[in-house]
Amino acid sequence: MDGTVLVADDDRTIRTVLTQALTRAGCKVHATASLVTLMRWVEEGKGDLVISDVMMPDGNGLEALPRIAQERPGLPVIVISAQNTIMTAIQAAEADAYDYLPKPFDLPDLMKRAQKALEQKRRITPVVAKTAEGIPSDKGDLPLVGRTAAMQELYRLVARVMNADLSVLIVGESGTGKSLIARAIHDFSDRRSLPFIVAQSGDLQGADGPATLLARAKGGSLVFDEVGDYDEDTQARIVRMLDALPDPAPRIMATTQADLSVLMEAGRFRQDLFYRLGGVTLSVPSLRERVEDIPLLADHFLTRAERDGLGTRRFTNDALQLVRAYSWPGNVRQLENTIRRLIVTSPEEEITRAEVEFVLGNQPAIEPLRRGGEGEKLSASIGRHLRRYFDLHGGNLPPPGLYDRILKEMEAPLLEIALDATGGNQARCADLLGINRNTLRKKITDLDIQVTRRRKLM
């Protein structure tokens, strides 16, 4: 790796680790905790790559992107942020950041992205980046938060498609936030000042139903809500409407919790409509698929309830563990409603495990997540997750190097869990896995594995 990297982060540990890693890779590094200093370096012509945090003591890294683009067109910027929301990902994309990574980030992954950015800078002719002007400043409260890989990949896809001239099909279970994704695509797109219309099946009835919808939507966004529930006549009306869209045409989106491919095979959903709606498919994961985000969401809802005047509350550790273990069939919507009920009914500032058990006891599916896969073969479970990973990329293929990346993703947690189960005893762990102890030690080093978890930078 060759080049000069400017690192801006108010966390000394992150600055030190990145400086050491980049220096070992052959780069020159200038590191600072000040956005003002970073901008001075940029203005002086220093640096071939910028790695910057968002929240700095003297400014916002995202707001600095247009200034960096103006001063140094073509200078790549990798944004790293602990603000794991869709807003951050979209702002980074809108301001033409080279890449965006949530904290905690994987150091080897960041190094690969930095190398790619440096190589690309040498190959391309600089172009002036877009500015972030016009992004709504009041959208930070969207409950689309999550640091898991599934949510971060979803955020990146939303950022890529928000201004693309393609229809969008948003799939996911009830309560996962499909409507919020559709709204976010509209609110952060170039159509944000135009109407956002959510159509129900009844809105398409009658001879003038489709025409009325198009007149309301104008050149904005038109969303067909739960399109899998539409009857055959309604589906036919949509096909005819999409084949004769006016100019300017609205952005077409649709949401569904049903598997439309299954409905097509059963003859209950039109194939021609499926292909008209599915220009890009976005899959919204259930809470069962992103368990690590539950504490983050819980904290978000507690904070929002406090702002709404419902009082200050926090979960005890035991209570939060139960919230995390619940299966949440109603997903994010059920989680929010449950937390708001606990805030109202809890007499003390701390919400106890007993109070959570009482509230959840009156709801369906109070079962630990570990029981969710009973009877399913491991290969089937892995296949389901891999299929979903491919689906997240819409009509595009995942980045190259998939084989090694998937093996690493599977190998690391296997070793972590085995080490944890054997109390960190490497001899016992090697015996459990059926590998040589020296092989285990090498894998621990190569994968940056500690006794209980892979090394992450907060």
Side-chain angles (χ1 to χ4, degrees):
M1 195 184 303
D2 182 33
T4 300
V5 182
L6 309 180
V7 175
D9 198 298
D10 61 347
D11 189 314
R12 178 180 295 177
T13 301
I14 290 181
R15 293 199 306 273
T16 301
V17 171
L18 288 179
T19 298
Q20 292 175 348
L22 289 164
T23 301
R24 285 197 301 268
C27 294
K28 295 179 181 179
V29 181
H30 298 285
T32 180
S34 167
L35 196 60
V36 171
T37 301
L38 172 66
M39 290 306 303
R40 176 168 56 81
W41 288 341
V42 170
E43 292 166 2
E44 291 173 353
K46 294 179 179 178
D48 302 299
L49 168 66
V50 174
I51 300 177
S52 176
D53 193 9
V54 173
M55 300 307 296
M56 302 283 283
D58 55 352
N60 185 300
L62 284 176
E63 294 175 358
L65 287 177
R67 292 171 53 201
I68 293 175
Q70 183 176 5
E71 290 289 338
R72 299 275 302 282
L75 178 64
V77 180
I78 297 178
V79 175
I80 54 177
S81 174
Q83 295 182 310
N84 302 301
T85 70
I86 193 170
M87 177 68 173
T88 309
I90 288 177
Q91 281 186 315
E94 187 75 8
D96 270 359
Y98 175 81
D99 211 336
Y100 157 72
L101 282 175
K103 293 182 180 179
F105 56 80
D106 183 62
L107 182 58
D109 182 39
L110 175 57
M111 294 295 290
K112 290 178 182 177
R113 293 169 190 258
Q115 180 176 6
K116 185 177 178 182
L118 289 169
E119 291 174 350
Q120 179 172 307
K121 184 179 187 299
R122 289 194 293 268
R123 290 197 307 265
I124 64 175
T125 302
V127 294
V128 178
K130 296 180 296 183
T131 70
E133 183 181 357
I135 294 178
S137 60
D138 59 345
K139 299 301 180 182
D141 198 40
L142 286 172
L144 292 168
V145 298
R147 61 169 57 98
T148 54
M151 288 302 292
Q152 291 299 322
E153 185 64 26
L154 176 61
Y155 294 165
R156 291 189 182 95
L157 285 173
V158 168
R160 290 173 195 151
V161 306
M162 61 185 179
N163 285 318
D165 190 19
L166 292 169
S167 58
V168 177
L169 179 64
I170 307 169
V171 302
E173 295 179 7
S174 176
T176 52
K178 299 187 297 295
S179 297
L180 290 173
I181 293 292
R183 184 82 216 196
I185 290 173
H186 174 82
D187 286 348
F188 296 109
S189 74
D190 296 338
R191 302 172 189 260
R192 63 177 68 96
S193 61
L194 298 171
F196 176 81
I197 304 299
V198 179
Q200 309 291 335
S201 178
D203 295 326
L204 290 153
Q205 304 304 315
D208 59 347
T212 301
L213 271 180
L214 290 174
R216 291 170 57 200
K218 298 181 181 178
S221 298
L222 177 58
V223 183
F224 297 108
D225 188 44
E226 292 302 337
V227 71
D229 296 337
Y230 291 8
D231 60 34
E232 186 176 344
D233 288 342
T234 304
Q235 293 176 35
R237 289 192 185 94
I238 296 176
V239 170
R240 290 193 293 270
M241 182 179 74
L242 297 183
D243 285 342
L245 288 175
D247 188 20
R251 174 71 172 272
I252 302 297
M253 292 184 276
T255 68
T256 179
Q257 59 180 305
D259 188 332
L260 297 186
S261 61
V262 173
L263 294 182
M264 281 195 301
E265 291 178 3
R268 294 165 50 195
F269 197 83
R270 293 176 62 111
Q271 190 176 51
D272 53 356
L273 178 56
F274 176 79
Y275 291 117
R276 282 169 173 78
L277 295 177
V280 176
T281 299
L282 302 179
S283 297
V284 187
S286 66
L287 276 185
R288 296 185 302 282
E289 297 172 280
R290 55 183 188 114
V291 178
E292 293 81 1
D293 284 336
I294 291 178
L296 191 68
L297 284 162
D299 182 66
H300 175 88
F301 292 134
L302 289 173
T303 301
R304 188 160 72 178
E306 182 178 354
R307 289 203 304 266
D308 291 343
L310 297 181
T312 302
R313 296 288 189 274
R314 65 177 182 272
F315 286 102
T316 65
N317 290 335
D318 286 346
L320 188 59
Q321 286 177 5
L322 182 57
V323 170
R324 192 178 185 278
Y326 184 69
S327 58
W328 298 111
N331 292 294
V332 180
R333 184 184 297 118
Q334 183 189 10
L335 174 64
E336 180 179 17
N337 291 338
T338 299
I339 288 177
R340 292 182 76 87
R341 178 178 173 184
L342 285 164
I343 291 169
V344 172
T345 60
S346 177
E348 305 294 338
E349 185 172 317
E350 281 198 332
I351 300 173
T352 66
R353 182 183 179 94
E355 291 170 321
V356 175
E357 288 177 339
F358 177 78
V359 171
L360 293 183
N362 296 321
Q363 301 189 42
I366 180 164
E367 53 186 341
L369 284 170
R370 61 179 177 271
R371 294 174 54 191
E374 283 185 359
E376 182 179 41
K377 291 183 178 180
L378 179 60
S379 60
S381 177
I382 293 173
R384 179 161 44 82
H385 286 284
L386 289 176
R387 172 54 58 190
R388 198 180 147 280
Y389 177 72
F390 272 81
D391 290 343
L392 280 173
H393 291 79
N396 299 318
L397 291 174
L402 179 62
Y403 185 82
D404 288 339
R405 192 163 64 248
I406 292 297
L407 287 185
K408 181 180 177 181
E409 288 294 324
M410 294 173 60
E411 187 175 37
L414 172 60
L415 297 183
E416 291 168 358
I417 293 169
L419 283 165
D420 185 54
T422 55
N425 187 311
Q426 294 185 19
R428 291 181 61 197
C429 182
D431 184 62
L432 173 66
L433 295 171
I435 61 177
N436 184 276
R437 187 175 178 181
N438 290 333
T439 301
L440 175 62
R441 286 176 174 171
K442 185 178 186 303
K443 290 181 178 294
I444 290 173
T445 301
D446 291 344
L447 296 172
D448 288 332
I449 293 174
Q450 296 181 359
V451 173
T452 57
R453 62 183 178 87
R454 182 172 41 177
R455 183 183 183 187
K456 292 282 187 179
L457 299 178
M458 299 302 292

